[in-house]
Amino acid sequence: MTPTSKMLAADLLPTGTLGLRTRRTRAVLSALGIAIGIAAIVAVLGVTRSSQSALLAQIDRLGTNLLTVANGTDFGGIERVLPAEATLMIRRVEGVAHVAPTAQLATRNVYRSNLVPAGQTGGLAVRACDASLLATLDGRVRQGRFIDQATAAYPVTVLGYEAAKTLGVTRVDPGTRVWLGGHWFTVAGILDPFPFAPEVDRSALIGFPIAEELFGYDGHPSRLYVRAQQERVDQVAGLLGATANPANPERTEVTRPSDALTARVAVAQSAGTLFLGLGAIALLVGGIGIGNIMVISVLERRGEIGLRRALGATRGHVAGQFVAESLVLSALGGLSGVLLGCAATAALARSRGWEVLIPPEALWGGLLVAVAVGAVAGLYPALRAARLAPAEALRTV
């Protein structure tokens, strides 16, 4: 009678890792496919969560109650004007907290000096405004000061963040000037970026009085920024078009800038789904690679299998050995992938100034998926090894 052996649970791991310990390079390369797939999944989930958190925090900080009112643009991209009474009429709407009128001065441009060719505008605009703009947009001055009643009537300008970068203005002092509309204007301040008003970022802002004196501004705004009470945003938005331009309300565009950031959250989710699919494909390829390596391992180790079978090892013992080997291989790949994914998420989040957020389900889920893939990949090789009879396994291949 052929003797039978017993395998303790404590013996399964050393036996199952025998092939991995003797063929380390092949084991590393086999686990690499699993690692890449899991790393991609963890990184996508982590980066998506971190970016969404940053966008939502930005929306919460800036508020969803900011509305803009405009009359569209002409073929040259210049904003069309609104009625001169639009600002006063909107201030009377119930639920409106602040209104800030601005007017794009279509025929005026700003340059670093009077030696710059007229055609090199850099895509910058000249925009008239008053002190209410900063409060309505909840903006901040990075350097210097904003336009006020004392400076609005003088050739003084405040540069938006992108305008200052384009013009090469990095500091504010009494000698800092720009060539604006054929006149020298002193730069009084530089603004922080306005995520909800990119057109302000690319503008040189001047006061209404000096715009009227030097450039013939006629009092018609071209874009209004409205801060509504939070609970009445939808109600106010429905009234702004007819209030700002009663003669042609259908031409008036009323938008909520926070919707753009909300749309970016949705786009990030869609992109995340795509990359998750790519990670799943990489994981599948890695699983197939492990299965292939395990089949080769069975063929190479027929002598070992035959010897164990001759000494009394059961088919279950042999199958368990190869399943354990596949599980260990995939678990190592999964753990490496989780670490790589976390590192990639942390590096990208910190470079963008985001809070590092990795969903817990991405961590334990990645490991579970890797182990599941390893179990499936090792099932066929394990059954093939278990079917080998002692005499057949000892034959020379």
Side-chain angles (χ1 to χ4, degrees):
M1 179 180 293
T2 303
T4 59
S5 64
K6 294 182 180 180
M7 177 178 286
L8 300 178
D11 297 329
L12 187 59
L13 184 61
T15 305
T17 57
L18 179 62
L20 305 182
R21 287 182 277 120
T22 56
R23 300 171 178 85
R24 296 178 182 178
T25 302
R26 188 166 69 181
V28 170
L29 294 177
S30 301
L32 186 60
I34 296 290
I36 292 174
I38 296 298
I41 292 174
V42 172
V44 166
L45 293 175
V47 170
T48 301
R49 178 69 63 86
S50 299
S51 64
Q52 287 179 358
S53 176
L55 288 173
L56 293 175
Q58 192 175 46
I59 291 173
D60 291 339
R61 183 175 66 253
L62 299 175
T64 58
N65 60 337
L66 179 67
L67 302 168
T68 63
V69 183
N71 200 23
T73 58
D74 58 21
F75 291 108
I78 305 300
E79 297 174 359
R80 298 190 181 95
V81 297
L82 290 161
E85 303 80 11
T87 304
L88 294 176
M89 294 297 293
I90 289 178
R91 283 176 178 158
R92 297 175 183 175
V93 174
E94 187 176 0
V96 170
H98 302 284
V99 181
T102 66
Q104 183 181 0
L105 305 181
T107 60
R108 309 298 172 179
N109 294 300
V110 58
Y111 307 93
R112 188 65 182 88
S113 74
N114 58 346
L115 301 178
V116 178
Q120 297 181 9
T121 64
L124 304 180
V126 176
R127 193 175 296 272
C129 67
D130 58 24
S132 65
L133 179 64
L134 197 64
T136 302
L137 293 179
D138 192 22
R140 293 175 178 81
V141 179
R142 173 162 296 203
Q143 293 186 49
R145 56 188 292 187
F146 196 65
I147 296 170
D148 53 28
Q149 292 183 350
T151 59
Y154 294 93
V156 171
T157 183
V158 173
L159 300 178
Y161 179 76
E162 293 295 335
K165 287 179 59 178
T166 301
L167 293 172
V169 177
T170 58
R171 62 180 182 178
V172 174
D173 56 45
T176 305
R177 301 187 303 169
V178 293
W179 186 249
L180 192 155
H183 301 270
W184 286 108
F185 274 66
T186 299
V187 177
I190 298 173
L191 300 175
D192 272 340
F194 287 97
F196 284 176
E199 61 279 353
V200 175
D201 285 344
R202 299 198 58 79
S203 296
L205 306 175
I206 64 175
F208 285 123
I210 193 65
E212 180 180 357
E213 177 184 344
L214 294 182
F215 307 129
Y217 171 62
D218 58 5
H220 288 264
S222 62
R223 183 180 294 269
L224 302 173
Y225 298 94
V226 180
R227 186 73 71 171
Q229 296 175 4
Q230 189 65 56
E231 66 276 8
R232 297 186 176 182
V233 174
D234 293 333
Q235 174 187 345
V236 170
L239 298 174
L240 288 181
T243 304
N245 192 1
N248 297 289
E250 70 282 354
R251 296 183 181 177
T252 306
E253 300 175 355
V254 179
T255 58
R256 187 187 300 189
S258 61
D259 290 342
L261 288 182
T262 305
R264 285 173 59 186
V265 173
V267 170
Q269 291 176 334
S270 300
T273 302
L274 173 62
F275 284 106
L276 280 177
L278 295 177
I281 293 174
L283 191 60
L284 176 62
V285 173
I288 294 173
I290 287 180
N292 183 52
I293 291 299
M294 294 302 299
V295 170
I296 295 175
S297 180
V298 170
L299 296 176
E300 290 178 344
R301 297 163 65 184
R302 294 180 67 179
E304 174 194 334
I305 297 170
L307 181 60
R308 289 196 61 203
R309 293 284 285 121
L311 293 176
T314 65
R315 294 180 185 274
H317 294 162
V318 174
Q321 173 186 348
F322 283 91
V323 169
E325 183 172 335
S326 179
L327 289 175
V328 170
L329 193 60
S330 59
L332 290 176
L335 180 60
S336 301
V338 168
L339 295 177
L340 288 173
C342 291
T345 300
L348 182 59
R350 288 174 181 172
S351 68
R352 301 288 181 87
W354 302 337
E355 181 183 3
V356 180
L357 294 175
I358 301 175
E361 57 270 20
L363 303 179
W364 56 261
L367 289 175
L368 289 179
V369 170
V371 170
V373 170
V376 174
L379 185 59
Y380 171 73
L383 294 177
R384 181 166 180 173
R387 287 197 300 266
L388 293 175
E392 181 184 0
L394 288 172
R395 294 174 183 172
T396 302
V397 180

